Amino acid sequence: MGADTPDPSEPALERLFYRSERVRFVHWEEFSGANAAVWLTEFVAILSFVTGLSNLSQPDPAFDGPLAGALPAEPVFLQFTGVLLAFVLMLLVFGLRRRKRIAWYLTLAVLPLASVLPLTTLRPMDVPLLLAILATLPLLLVNRSAFDRRLELSSLQIAALSSIIGVGLYGTVGSYALRDQFGGLETWSDSVYYVIVTVATVGYGDITPLTTEAKWFSLSVIVFGTGAFTVAIGALVVPAIEKRIATAFGTMTPTELTLLEDHVLVLGHDDITEPLLDELGTEVDVVVVASDSDDTGEFDDRNVTVVTGDPTLAETLDEARIDEAAGVVVATRDDATDVLTVLAAREANRAVRIVAAANDREHVDKLEAVGADEVISPTEIGGRFLGRSVLDRTSADSLFGDADDDTE
């Protein structure tokens, strides 16, 4: 048998730490992975906005593209679609960054719609948008498995969104059915316009009810519409505000943990945890996962959230909201546990940045091999600072200042 063939009798962790390495020359996932698909979608949104503004600025646009004669509606309407779809795509990018499956589906539906404008005008300035869409669609399809998270909405949020849709349908269909009793309302687009300006309490006066029945219908749209939007704001916006308020009171309840997002997750407790928390300060929300409840007492005077549990278990990571975390720090007292923790964290969130601390510098490359984006050896850094301090006869504070300058 070759020297690289693992011995089945060896422990699994020993085979994991001491196996032959394969050096990657190119990390293809950086160019063809889910992150690249998200960045391309954001680029398409920017191009769509610029293209839409360019077409709106044309006083007499020409529609010479292959779809100009195939569209049932007036091509002039397409001038607004570029800017409109740009805002829609930016909202979808927000969901794609969180790997939401519904955002993936909607993006696949919106991108072909964004290509209608360049295919209708076929102006030289519109071609980059078309090429960007053609590059983004295959990349999204290839990375379908990366966008596998469900959209988690409470029953109140679902009811609020349903009420908005219901009011929109009620107002549109009802006003079109009563169009003979309104002045200035003739088509379905007029009905949609009427509902939006009525619910928004703008009321330009170009569409007015002429009969008592139409007036009562308009009042019902106003009451139902404003009520639905008020409930929607309370259900969708207030939780984000509550999350900020909850973090100001330290350790959160399980219900408050569900409000966390863009926080730093510290998995494990080690000697470097204290200086780590000092460095993070109050700039970001911090959640510490400690397997021993005795270790959590020292965090009582700190503005951090503590979750007691095994950081190598998916249940603990889900409770700490790793799916919404901005970054993960793995810092336990044992490199073998660090390996299992990195594996669990990477499995729970494939896009999050993971930084690990290696107690033994020989294990740095091993931790990188199992999914850590960056591995730091505190003992090696400490040894280097000791050497520089004794040779340069400088204090440790000045050395830390030099290190900060080097990283800028």
Side-chain angles (χ1 to χ4, degrees), residues 52-53 55-58 61 63 75-83 117:
L53 286 181
N55 279 275
L56 284 174
S57 64
Q58 298 294 321
F63 300 96
V76 179
F77 175 75
L78 294 175
Q79 291 181 275
F80 300 93
T81 60
V83 177
L117 178 60

Side-chain angles (χ1 to χ4, degrees), residues 316-400:
T316 305
L317 299 179
D318 290 340
E319 182 182 354
R321 300 291 290 173
I322 190 174
D323 57 328
E324 300 292 344
V328 175
V329 178
V330 178
T332 69
R333 295 185 174 93
D334 180 64
D335 285 346
T337 305
D338 282 346
V339 169
L340 297 178
T341 304
V342 170
L343 286 171
R346 181 56 69 203
E347 181 66 25
N349 190 340
R350 298 185 181 278
V352 72
R353 176 173 174 80
I354 300 177
V355 179
N359 297 280
D360 190 339
R361 65 178 183 175
E362 295 181 358
H363 297 157
V364 170
D365 56 340
K366 310 300 178 182
L367 288 166
E368 291 178 346
V370 296
D373 297 293
E374 187 77 23
V375 181
I376 297 173
S377 175
T379 56
E380 183 175 358
I381 294 176
R384 290 182 180 273
F385 275 132
L386 286 172
R388 290 178 59 182
S389 179
V390 70
L391 292 177
D392 299 338
R393 297 180 180 273
T394 55
S395 64
D397 292 336
S398 63
L399 291 176
F400 278 109

